[in-house]
Amino acid sequence: MDILIRGERKEDYDDIKKINDLAFGQENEGRMVEALRKTRGYNPKLSLVAELNNNIVGHILFYPIKIKNEKKEFTALSLAPMAVCPKYQNKGIGNKLVIKGIEVAREYGFGAVIVVGHPKYYPRFGFQPASNWRMQLPFDVPDDVFLALELRNNYLKSFRGKVEYPREYFDAL
Ligand SMILES: CC(C)(COP(=O)(O)OP(=O)(O)OC[C@H]1O[C@@H](n2cnc3c(N)ncnc32)[C@H](O)[C@@H]1OP(=O)(O)O)[C@@H](O)C(=O)NCCC(=O)NCCS
């Protein structure tokens, strides 16, 4: 399978929505991407599509979030959502999207990526339990689904605080 991973373009918007709707079986995530696209933090180079024979079959978004405490504020990327067309799942497309996304995130100089996701899936990319550091989420989830990856050595070491997602994350859910 000849899969091309690249940043989104305007003409991909409808396909990105469709892939998210199909993969999640609901419209929330696709709507979230559309809402975030209108915000300042959105970088189309960090919204990656997987293209197969000129068709979009997968999508992943990395969006900048803040981790805040009383004194300081840190920046990281949040990985979400990620979607592969059901017909093409389990063929390594998700894998390629995550790897390329991490590469682009590094190029932009981001220091870390956080994800709320499957504890068995993300460690293969180097993600570790976020409990290794001192970050909290603004909502309750089981500890093991909150993971983080340092893109720069010890970047998360000095972090202490609560993750602040943009409003659009919640509006769409
Ligand atoms: C999760 C998802 C993006 C993975 O894409 P993919 O192209 O199928 O992934 P890959 O082929 O690279 O990897 C397959 C692995 O993902 C695992 N996987 C499949 N669905 C998963 C899910 N919902 N959560 C965690 N892991 C999942 C498979 O078990 C497989 O693991 P293995 O390699 O240990 O056998 C895709 O299955 C999907 O779109 N799922 C529905 C939407 C979703 O749940 N997104 C993630 C939350 S944002």
Side-chain angles (χ1 to χ4, degrees):
M1 256 196 328
D2 213 358
I3 302 283
L4 170 72
I5 310 289
R6 58 165 177 81
E8 69 167 33
R9 302 179 193 133
K10 263 197 178 134
E11 58 269 29
D12 304 323
Y13 291 177
D14 287 349
D15 288 335
I16 290 173
K17 172 78 168 50
K18 274 185 212 145
I19 296 291
N20 276 280
D21 292 355
L22 268 177
F24 286 98
Q26 58 178 31
E27 292 196 51
N28 304 29
E29 287 76 10
R31 277 203 294 252
M32 177 176 119
V33 175
E34 292 191 328
L36 288 171
R37 192 177 277 129
K38 297 184 184 130
T39 64
R40 267 180 56 196
Y42 194 90
N43 180 347
K45 296 269 182 359
L46 285 165
S47 173
L48 301 166
V49 295
E51 195 183 295
L52 174 67
N53 302 329
N54 293 319
N55 293 312
I56 305 296
V57 293
H59 172 252
I60 193 168
L61 177 65
F62 292 78
Y63 190 90
I65 46 93
K66 302 263 177 246
I67 295 157
K68 276 187 177 172
N69 63 39
E70 324 73 52
K71 290 190 187 138
K72 272 181 114 171
E73 160 173 316
F74 310 89
T75 302
L77 285 174
S78 162
L79 187 175
M82 160 165 158
V84 170
C85 178
K87 221 167 89 184
Y88 294 102
Q89 286 176 9
N90 291 308
K91 296 183 192 305
I93 296 173
N95 195 71
K96 287 192 165 71
L97 283 165
V98 177
I99 289 171
K100 182 70 181 176
I102 290 171
E103 191 187 308
V104 178
R106 276 187 211 281
E107 283 167 18
Y108 276 96
F110 284 98
V113 182
I114 62 162
V115 67
V116 177
H118 204 284
K120 291 220 168 75
Y121 185 63
Y122 293 97
R124 68 190 68 182
F125 308 105
F127 283 85
Q128 296 175 30
S131 55
N132 288 355
W133 298 283
R134 294 173 298 168
M135 301 179 283
Q136 292 97 45
L137 288 171
F139 42 76
D140 282 335
V141 290
D143 272 357
D144 63 345
V145 304
F146 181 27
L147 301 127
L149 169 71
E150 283 185 325
L151 303 180
R152 284 193 246 148
N153 274 349
N154 292 325
Y155 183 74
L156 292 173
K157 212 170 160 186
S158 61
F159 276 42
R160 184 177 59 78
K162 202 181 238 186
V163 179
E164 195 177 278
Y165 290 100
R167 178 175 54 75
E168 288 75 7
Y169 258 73
F170 301 100
D171 283 356
L173 295 177

